[in-house]
């Protein structure tokens, strides 16, 4: 919200300078993001009138002027501006004036003495470019300082408002807060008594009464649409960041800034019959003021005449009913639209407006007619014409539910004791309606405060007005108790350290993702859809973390990073009928070489087994099993389901070639994703004696069918009830001569050990016989 300080001071003028006012607003929660002067520093520039103009005898493009600057004698000034005329008034810099980048001195120009300089807006630092002298109004007082005449000592303040303070999206709203903070008197605007001189009237019906609880409007006939907007209004609009368009449009913009109520003016002759406020119908279109053709949808509220929509309610008017320089009669609209109906429409359409910004957050429904009367009076003053009667349709306006406030609760939250009388004074200054019972209040918020709903909201208001800097800093004292740490739960910080140790870097990505990601990578045709997405490509909630990690991978590849290893810990969301579920997951993506480039290790690409080793290390000492299964994101032959104690906890795989090509990845990354709960659960360690005796190794080679998995064989060996077998590891795979077609030879290293004694050959053979018997039961034969 950008505005002029001098404009604000027409409503409330506290005994504070600009610095003090900015500090007051910031400390009250209305942060002053920027404060800039209207003009550069300069002096001795006055309003001057050109009395005479003669050609310079020695220069074709120069004129010799006689200028009245309010002194006893006129000044002679040599001027080269092409637009100078006798009788015009323009700024004149006197000798000794210091302008931006130049100091004015008495000088001779082609032999004629010049006692000053006539100025353009550029020379005063008021414009980037200018084509001639800055022409002033005919009633400008000769000799008056140009700074006073143009109010150039004004300051421009830009507030960074929080979303809940929509009541301060207007000069009157900010002034209301300043008055409450300082106790200064407020020059409030109230409804005007507009004389009804025009019999014309537009009938209005509201079909969507819940979406538009209040609609007012009136006809103003015989206006002069070509009338010039007053200089003071143009100045205030420009200093608020708006350009002057035409007198009628300027008035609606002015009242928007002044009172926070959006208005719209229709050309009455372009309307066809009565006005209806309703939702759009199938197939309807509207060409808006920004020349865009909008395909209206059924949840879009429109202002329609008998031929169709003429405005998109709360967002923008239609081009075909807009006022122009030929307009003589207008229908001026002021309405209150429910924020829930307007919110999200601007983002969906790809354009917004100052009106939609306010309606989305809520405007003061009690000021609807005040704003209409204010705009009507300004139009009558500037453009002439005659005003008709007000047409008003009122439905069920938003209720302001009373909020209970306890003085004891204020002390508990703020740490200071305030008397009930002082609390009542603060709330009254804020426009609240009070019912007091001892040290308790029943507080009804005003119509313009949509953000007051609970007791803490009122306490925040009291703290703002009382002054945050007046609340003393107190050292808190409390008893500290060591909280128990559950040993079977691994903290997330430890899990993150383990992933970083495995050479991964953490990524944090949005939970809002593209619908295509869900369909491609998760085969999710029913994702959780957002009603009001922040961007069109972030329209659904993710059900897996892979999409965000692939996007982060592509970002790194675009910045010439050849080796990328990322992990993320975050929530995933699924829809189950009318309810939603959130599950925390852990996912990684590994791309590029298995090891960072170095001299000691030959370069090779990361593969399935590298990442499998990482996840096994994370789950250790628990043993994982990997079950070949298809996942929509993974290569058909390089995908597995991860199980712990028989429970499926996640997936591991190499990215499917289709998605590798679609997402423009030169190599296929390897990924896994598991439930966070499975990783953070860590079984208590069991005490076991460490053997001081050497282990015995026996190698065994068995022949099995090609389809048989190594995992099954290892599990069989571990479950063979051989008492001294402590480990079994695959060290060789053979296919070829001596092994039948369709079969393979697998060689395992089996370690045997006892904690009490050295194993004898007989004991070793007994253990190996148990292992071999177990393997034979699943179709394995000893390789001869």
């Amino acid at each position: 919200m950008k505005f002029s300080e001098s404009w604000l001071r027409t409503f409330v003028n506290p005994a504070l300078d600009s610095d003090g006012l900015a500090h007051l607003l910031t400390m009250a929660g209305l942060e002053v993001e920027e404060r800039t002067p209207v003009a550069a520093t300069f002096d001795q520039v006055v309003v001057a009138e050109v009395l005479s103009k003669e050609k310079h005898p020695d220069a074709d493009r120069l004129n010799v002027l006689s200028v009245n600057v309010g002194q006893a004698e006129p000044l002679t000034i040599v001027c080269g501006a092409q637009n100078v005329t006798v009788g015009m008034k323009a700024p004149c810099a006197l000798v000794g004036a210091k302008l931006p980048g130049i100091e004015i001195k008495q000088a001779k120009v082609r032999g004629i003495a010049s006692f000053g300089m006539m100025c353009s807006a550029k020379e005063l630092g008021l414009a980037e470019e200018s084509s001639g002298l800055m022409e002033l109004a005919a009633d400008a007082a000769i000799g008056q300082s140009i700074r006073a005449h143009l109010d150039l000592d004004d300051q421009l303040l830009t507030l960074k408002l929080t979303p809940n303070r929509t009541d301060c999206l207007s000069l009157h709203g900010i002034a209301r807060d300043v008055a409450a903070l300082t106790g200064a008197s407020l020059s409030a605007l109230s409804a005007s008594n507009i004389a009804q001189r025009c019999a014309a009237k537009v009938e209005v019906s509201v079909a969507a009464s819940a979406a538009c609880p209040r609609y007012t409007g009136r006809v103003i006939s015989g206006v002069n649409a070509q009338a010039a907007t007053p200089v003071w209004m143009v100045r205030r609009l420009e200093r608020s960041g708006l350009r002057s368009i035409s007198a009628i449009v300027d008035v609606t913009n002015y009242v928007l800034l002044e009172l926070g109520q959006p208005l719209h003016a229709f050309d009455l002759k372009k309307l066809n019959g009565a006005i209806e406020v309703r939702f759009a119908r199938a197939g309807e279109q509207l060409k808006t003021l920004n020349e865009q053709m909008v395909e209206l949808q059924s949840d879009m509220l429109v202002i329609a005449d008998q031929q169709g929509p003429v405005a998109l309610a709360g967002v923008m008017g239609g081009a075909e009913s807009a006022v122009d320089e030929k307009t003589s009669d207008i229908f001026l609209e002021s309405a209150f639209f429910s924020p829930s109906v307007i919110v999200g429409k601007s983002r969906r359409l790809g354009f917004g407006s100052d009106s939609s910004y306010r309606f989305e957050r809520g405007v003061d429904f009690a000021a609807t007619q005040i704003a209409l009367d204010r705009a009507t009076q300004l139009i009558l003053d500037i453009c002439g014409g005659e005003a008709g009667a007000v047409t008003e349709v009122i439905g069920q306006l938003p209720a302001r539910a009373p909020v209970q406030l306890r003085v004891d609760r204020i002390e508990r939250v703020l740490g200071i004791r305030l008397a009930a009388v002082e609390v009542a004074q603060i709330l009254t200054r804020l426009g609240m309606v009070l019912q007091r019972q001892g040290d308790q209040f029943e507080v009804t918020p005003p119509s313009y405060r949509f953000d007051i709903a609970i007791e803490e909201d009122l306490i925040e208001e009291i703290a703002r007005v009382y002054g945050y800097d007046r609340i003393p800093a107190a050292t808190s004292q409390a008893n500290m108790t060591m909280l128990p740490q559950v040993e079977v739960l691994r903290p997330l910080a430890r899990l993150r350290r383990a992933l970083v140790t495995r050479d991964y870097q953490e990524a944090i990505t949005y939970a809002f993702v593209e619908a295509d990601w869900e369909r491609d990578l998760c085969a999710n045709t029913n994702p959780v859809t957002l009603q009001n997405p922040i961007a069109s490509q972030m329209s659904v909630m993710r059900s897996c973390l892979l999409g965000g990690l692939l996007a982060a991978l592509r970002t790194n590849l675009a910045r010439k990073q050849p080796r990328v290893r990322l992990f993320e810990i975050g929530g995933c969301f699924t829809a189950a009928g009318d309810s939603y579920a959130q599950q925390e997951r852990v996912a990684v993506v590994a791309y590029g070489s298995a090891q960072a480039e170095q001299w000691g290790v030959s370069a090779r690409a990361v593969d399935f087994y590298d990442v499998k080793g990482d996840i096994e290390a994370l789950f250790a000492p628990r043993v994982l099993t990997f079950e070949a299964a298809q996942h929509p994101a993974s290569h058909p032959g390089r995908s597995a389901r991860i199980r712990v104690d028989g429970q499926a906890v996640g997936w591991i795989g190499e990215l499917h070639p289709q998605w590798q090509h679609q997402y423009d990845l030169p190599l296929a990354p390897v990924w896994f994703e598991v439930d966070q709960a499975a990783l953070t659960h860590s079984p208590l360690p069991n005490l076991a004696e460490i053997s001081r005796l050497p282990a015995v190794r026996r190698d065994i080679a068995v022949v099995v069918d090609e389809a048989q998995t190594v995992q099954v064989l290892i599990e069989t060996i571990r479950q063979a009830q051989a008492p001294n077998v402590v480990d079994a590891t695959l060290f060789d795979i053979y296919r070829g001569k001596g092994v039948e077609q369709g079969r393979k030879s697998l060689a395992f290293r089996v370690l045997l050990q006892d904690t009490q004694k050295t194993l004898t050959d007989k004991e070793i053979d007994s253990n190996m016989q148990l292992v071999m018997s177990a393997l034979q039961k699943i179709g394995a034969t000893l390789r001869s």
Side-chain angles (χ1 to χ4, degrees):
M1 176 69 188
K2 183 179 180 181
F3 61 93
S4 156
E5 181 186 339
S6 65
W7 188 5
L8 176 66
R9 289 185 183 273
T10 62
F11 290 101
V12 61
N13 191 14
L16 297 170
D17 59 13
S18 294
D19 290 336
L21 179 61
H23 178 74
L24 174 78
L25 291 171
T26 298
M27 292 304 296
L30 309 178
E31 181 185 352
V32 178
E33 186 177 28
E34 186 179 13
R35 183 164 66 91
T36 57
V38 167
T41 301
F42 61 82
D43 58 2
Q44 298 189 58
V45 181
V46 298
V47 177
E49 181 182 15
V50 178
L51 301 177
S52 66
K53 167 187 170 183
E54 297 179 1
K55 281 289 184 182
H56 193 291
D58 295 329
D60 293 338
R61 297 187 178 183
L62 297 179
N63 296 298
V64 180
L65 309 179
S66 177
V67 178
N68 180 8
V69 295
Q71 298 178 0
E73 297 293 332
L75 300 181
T76 299
I77 296 178
V78 178
C79 176
Q82 299 301 307
N83 67 329
V84 62
T85 58
V86 175
M88 79 176 295
K89 292 182 178 179
C92 176
L94 305 178
V95 173
K98 295 182 178 180
L99 303 183
I102 184 175
E103 182 176 354
I104 305 302
K105 298 179 181 179
Q106 180 181 338
K108 284 190 175 183
V109 181
R110 296 289 182 94
I112 296 180
S114 180
F115 297 89
M117 183 178 77
M118 302 299 289
C119 299
S120 66
K122 180 181 179 181
E123 288 161 337
L124 295 178
L126 302 179
E128 295 291 333
E129 296 293 337
S130 57
S131 57
L133 297 184
M134 183 179 182
E135 192 166 357
L136 303 176
D139 60 353
I142 297 173
Q144 182 186 24
S145 168
I146 199 68
R147 298 194 72 88
H149 178 70
L150 298 179
D151 193 18
L152 298 182
D153 291 321
D154 192 10
Q155 296 280 322
L156 300 183
L157 302 180
T158 302
L159 300 187
K160 186 178 181 181
L161 295 174
T162 52
N164 64 313
R165 294 309 306 272
T166 56
D167 59 299
C168 290
L169 286 171
S170 67
L171 268 296
H172 188 259
I174 298 168
R176 193 165 47 209
D177 232 42
V178 172
L181 293 166
T182 62
S185 60
L186 174 67
S187 300
L189 293 175
S190 57
S192 304
N193 186 17
I194 306 295
Q196 180 183 341
R197 302 182 184 277
C198 171
K201 189 175 182 180
V202 174
E203 295 297 326
V204 176
S205 63
V206 179
S209 58
C212 179
R214 187 173 190 182
Y215 189 95
T216 63
R218 65 151 48 98
V219 173
I220 306 176
S221 62
V223 299
N224 176 16
Q226 299 183 39
T229 304
V231 173
W232 60 268
M233 182 178 287
V234 173
R235 183 183 304 153
R236 288 178 175 178
L237 289 173
E238 289 178 345
R239 291 181 183 181
S240 299
L242 298 180
R243 63 182 179 88
S244 176
I245 299 174
S246 67
I248 295 174
V249 176
D250 289 348
V251 166
T252 60
N253 286 336
Y254 183 83
V255 175
L256 170 73
L257 294 172
E258 187 177 54
L259 295 177
Q261 171 65 51
L263 303 166
H264 186 67
F266 298 95
D267 189 324
L268 185 61
K269 293 180 180 178
K270 297 177 182 178
L271 296 178
N272 295 279
I275 289 292
E276 182 182 15
V277 184
R278 58 173 173 81
F279 284 102
R281 296 166 183 160
E284 287 187 323
Q285 294 180 322
L286 176 67
K287 186 177 182 181
T288 54
L289 290 172
N290 60 356
E291 299 297 321
Q292 291 197 27
M293 185 62 72
V294 176
E295 298 288 340
L296 299 175
Q297 300 175 17
S298 60
D299 63 341
M300 293 181 176
L301 190 68
V302 298
I303 312 299
D305 62 12
Q306 299 307 299
Q307 291 190 353
V310 294
L312 187 56
V315 180
M316 191 172 290
E320 295 181 359
S321 59
V323 297
D324 55 33
E325 60 182 11
K326 297 179 182 179
T327 298
S328 59
D329 304 320
I330 66 171
F331 177 69
L332 186 62
E333 168 198 274
S334 177
F336 171 76
F337 302 114
S338 175
S340 61
V341 176
I342 308 302
V343 69
K345 303 303 185 295
S346 294
R347 187 175 293 114
R348 187 191 307 175
L349 296 171
F351 62 85
S353 64
D354 289 332
S355 297
S356 65
Y357 187 83
R358 286 163 173 79
F359 277 127
E360 286 177 343
R361 291 157 175 80
V363 300
D364 182 6
F365 52 82
T368 305
Q369 186 167 342
I370 295 175
L372 179 68
D373 290 342
R374 172 64 168 160
T376 300
Q377 189 62 59
L378 289 171
I379 290 174
L380 295 177
D381 292 343
I382 298 169
C383 304
E386 297 179 338
V390 174
T391 301
E392 184 174 29
V393 179
I394 298 181
Q396 185 65 43
L397 292 170
R400 285 288 177 265
V403 180
Q404 302 299 320
L405 177 64
R406 297 160 292 172
V407 174
D408 290 343
R409 179 63 176 168
I410 297 173
E411 181 179 7
R412 184 175 178 184
V413 173
L414 300 182
I416 55 173
R417 180 70 182 178
L418 296 179
V421 173
E422 186 174 5
V423 172
Q425 290 175 346
I426 292 174
L427 294 175
T428 301
R429 280 154 54 186
L430 288 168
M432 312 284 182
V433 178
L434 310 178
Q435 294 289 334
R436 179 181 171 185
Q437 294 181 349
D439 281 351
Q440 294 191 16
F441 296 87
E442 185 179 83
V443 184
T444 303
S447 57
Y448 49 82
R449 290 305 296 268
F450 283 75
D451 58 324
I452 305 297
I454 60 176
E455 188 174 26
E456 283 70 20
D457 294 333
L458 292 172
I459 295 174
E460 179 186 1
E461 291 300 297
I462 292 170
R464 286 194 320 110
V465 177
Y466 180 80
Y468 290 119
D469 48 357
R470 293 177 60 193
I471 299 176
T475 303
S476 299
Q477 293 183 354
N479 295 324
M480 298 184 66
T481 304
M482 292 292 290
L483 297 176
Q485 182 175 346
V486 182
E487 291 186 75
V488 295
L489 293 180
R490 176 165 50 174
L492 284 179
R494 192 184 304 169
L495 177 59
R496 285 187 169 93
R497 284 197 300 270
L499 284 161
V500 170
T501 303
R502 304 296 295 184
D503 205 15
Y504 290 94
Q505 293 180 306
E506 185 170 11
I508 300 174
T509 66
Y510 280 107
F512 314 135
V513 300
E514 295 185 39
D516 290 347
W517 290 3
E518 286 295 298
R519 184 188 65 246
D520 296 346
L521 302 175
C522 309
N524 185 6
T525 58
N526 184 34
V528 178
T529 304
L530 297 173
Q531 291 185 350
N532 185 27
I534 61 176
S536 60
Q537 72 274 16
M538 305 172 79
S539 59
V540 301
M541 302 290 285
R542 66 189 179 191
S543 63
C544 76
L545 303 175
L546 181 58
L549 289 177
L550 289 179
L553 169 61
R554 293 181 63 190
T555 300
N556 279 272
L557 294 179
R559 285 152 181 81
K560 308 301 180 184
Q561 297 297 316
R563 182 174 182 268
V564 180
R565 294 167 68 87
L566 301 173
F567 78 90
E568 181 170 14
I569 301 174
C572 296
F573 307 85
T574 54
D578 295 332
S579 62
Y580 303 97
Q582 177 178 346
Q583 187 178 30
E584 299 298 313
R585 303 267 184 84
V586 179
V588 309
V589 164
Y591 177 92
S593 59
Q595 299 285 339
E597 186 176 2
Q598 56 162 301
W599 60 269
V601 178
S602 300
R604 65 172 182 84
V606 66
D607 61 23
F608 180 95
Y609 296 101
D610 292 317
V611 177
K612 178 175 177 288
D614 291 334
I615 194 170
E616 286 175 328
L618 291 175
F619 273 95
R622 287 180 293 171
V623 177
L624 302 182
T625 58
F626 298 85
E627 174 187 289
Q630 298 301 313
H631 188 282
S634 292
H635 189 292
R638 300 167 190 170
S639 174
R641 190 191 305 273
I642 304 169
R643 292 185 179 275
V644 177
D645 300 327
Q647 297 293 321
V649 297
W651 291 86
I652 182 173
E654 182 181 295
L655 191 67
H656 197 290
Q658 179 181 352
W659 311 135
Q660 177 189 346
H661 175 74
Q662 180 168 316
Y663 293 111
D664 196 24
L665 299 173
L667 301 173
V670 184
W671 66 280
F672 75 73
E673 182 171 314
V674 295
D675 297 339
Q676 177 186 303
L679 261 178
T680 53
H681 178 76
S682 179
L684 288 174
N686 294 320
L687 181 64
E689 185 179 356
I690 299 175
S691 177
R692 299 184 179 185
L693 303 171
V696 177
R697 170 175 172 167
R698 288 290 185 268
D699 294 343
I700 182 172
V702 295
V703 178
V704 296
D705 290 337
E706 187 66 51
Q708 186 64 273
T709 62
V710 173
Q711 183 73 50
V712 172
L713 296 174
I714 291 178
E715 289 297 321
T716 300
I717 295 173
R718 289 173 177 169
Q719 298 172 9
Q721 297 183 347
N724 302 118
V725 173
V726 295
D727 192 24
T729 307
L730 177 74
F731 69 86
D732 185 53
I733 300 176
Y734 174 75
R735 299 176 182 88
K737 187 177 179 181
V739 177
E740 298 177 25
Q741 186 73 20
R743 293 172 70 81
K744 60 186 175 184
S745 171
L746 304 177
F748 295 92
R749 180 195 66 181
V750 181
L751 293 183
L752 303 97
Q753 195 173 37
D754 193 287
T755 60
Q756 302 300 321
K757 59 185 175 59
T758 302
L759 295 175
T760 65
D761 288 343
K762 183 178 180 179
E763 290 170 331
I764 294 170
D765 291 341
S766 175
N767 278 271
M768 293 305 296
Q769 184 61 44
L770 291 172
V771 169
M772 193 60 218
S773 297
L775 291 174
Q776 288 173 346
K777 291 178 182 179
I778 60 172
T781 59
L782 187 64
R783 182 182 173 191
S784 57

